[in-house]
Amino acid sequence: MTTQQLSGLDTLKGLIDGSIPHSAMAKVIPMKLVQAETGKIIYETTPNEEHLNLQGGIHGGFCATVLDSVTGAAAHSLMDTGVGFATIDLNIKMIRPMQAGKTYLGVGTLINAGRTIVSTEGKIVDENGKIYAHATATLMILRK
């Protein structure tokens, strides 16, 4: 069965159980989906030395990619079979520096779902729930 034949939530659950492979981006930005339910998802992500900027900190693009993924996955969890979506706005705030080699959680949750627009939020937190970055996203539902 292809992902186009599955609902969004079933696709996400397939990522968790390994029956569907993670995207190629998950190799560039190491991310693993560990929880998915309607309107809420959690990824584990661990930046490494390949994600350092010239100043020796984790590049902001790492945070942006994780937050785009978690806000998108929260929307994906709502999609019916054959229905897609696209991010049309992503607003990111980076609160504190992340560390290479440390594992964080990327949490995505639903704010509102309309007929054509979905609003979600995401955050990157450590094991104690301390926020490192957060975002809001607006996504357009794409029906064929």
Side-chain angles (χ1 to χ4, degrees), residues 30-118:
M31 294 177 52
K32 181 181 178 188
L33 187 61
V34 295
Q35 182 180 328
E37 57 191 69
T38 302
K40 183 177 182 187
I41 62 86
I42 300 175
Y43 275 89
E44 286 182 348
T45 184
T46 308
N48 58 50
E49 288 76 25
E50 294 175 346
H51 304 110
L52 297 177
N53 60 26
L54 289 175
Q55 297 177 36
I58 300 302
H59 195 283
F62 182 93
C63 293
T65 302
V66 170
L67 291 167
D68 184 46
S69 296
V70 302
T71 56
H76 199 172
S77 73
L78 307 172
M79 298 300 128
D80 291 328
T81 302
V83 177
F85 64 94
T87 302
I88 57 175
D89 180 69
L90 182 65
N91 187 322
I92 300 167
K93 304 292 183 214
M94 289 168 261
I95 306 297
R96 56 181 49 91
M98 296 173 69
Q99 299 173 3
K102 183 174 179 175
T103 298
Y104 299 88
L105 297 177
V107 181
T109 55
L110 174 68
I111 296 172
N112 186 66
R115 195 174 67 76
T116 58
I117 299 293
V118 176

Side-chain angles (χ1 to χ4, degrees), residues 123-143:
K123 58 187 174 179
I124 299 172
V125 299
D126 67 12
E127 69 278 2
N128 299 313
K130 185 182 282 188
I131 298 175
Y132 287 75
H134 64 93
T136 55
T138 305
L139 305 103
M140 180 182 294
I141 298 172
L142 304 172
R143 291 183 175 82

